[in-house]
Amino acid sequence: MDSAYNIAFLIGRIIVGGFFLVSGFNHLMKVKMMAGYAKSKGVPAAEVAVAGTGVLLLAGGASMLLGYHPTIGAILLIIFLLGASFGIHNFWTIQDPMAKMGDMINFQKNMAMLGFLLMTLMIPRPWPMSLGR
């Protein structure tokens, strides 16, 4: 039964790590577009912020995927999610109902991922089928 759990855990890591890696690549490949949105939300130095958060996402996603220093990876992703959730997806400040709904959905998604990342901090190290601590 342990091997089934280890395989499920690895599949979960692939899904979660892949999600954050794709998000990080999007940040870096679409800096100008995403910076325009970030600027509209009041983010200073929006292009630098988008590129910086792309690096956080890439490093954190790779850490989750590979199981390499997952505590550091989780902390990087937690930092990203806190900033994005409260700074970008602050639905409580939006008047337009459609925009408000979109930001509320993204805020809730981010809070679920934040909860997941906090739970990963309790998983004993090294993770099964990982590159180490």
Side-chain angles (χ1 to χ4, degrees):
M1 195 61 149
D2 276 349
S3 65
Y5 288 128
N6 288 344
I7 291 169
F9 186 63
L10 179 60
I11 291 169
R13 283 180 26 217
I14 291 167
I15 293 168
V16 169
F19 173 82
F20 286 116
L21 284 170
V22 168
S23 294
F25 282 120
N26 280 334
H27 273 67
L28 296 176
M29 300 306 290
K30 300 174 183 175
V31 170
K32 293 240 187 258
M33 181 189 74
M34 292 183 133
Y37 180 65
K39 193 172 187 175
S40 77
K41 292 291 207 158
V43 174
E47 285 190 26
V48 173
V50 168
T53 56
V55 171
L56 288 176
L57 289 163
L58 283 176
S63 174
M64 293 290 112
L65 177 68
L66 302 172
Y68 184 74
H69 293 287
T71 300
I72 294 170
I75 290 168
L76 294 175
L77 295 171
I78 288 167
I79 290 167
F80 167 77
L81 288 170
L82 288 173
S85 299
F86 291 98
I88 299 292
H89 301 302
N90 51 352
F91 66 91
W92 52 91
T93 66
I94 309 288
Q95 298 303 314
D96 176 62
M98 293 302 288
K100 184 176 195 134
M101 182 172 38
D103 273 333
M104 181 186 278
I105 289 167
N106 282 311
F107 181 87
Q108 290 172 330
K109 170 195 54 97
N110 286 359
M111 290 298 104
M113 288 189 293
L114 181 63
F116 163 78
L117 290 167
L118 291 171
M119 290 187 313
T120 66
L121 296 175
M122 294 301 299
I123 299 169
R125 270 67 166 167
W127 284 358
M129 295 188 258
S130 73
L131 292 184
R133 301 180 184 270

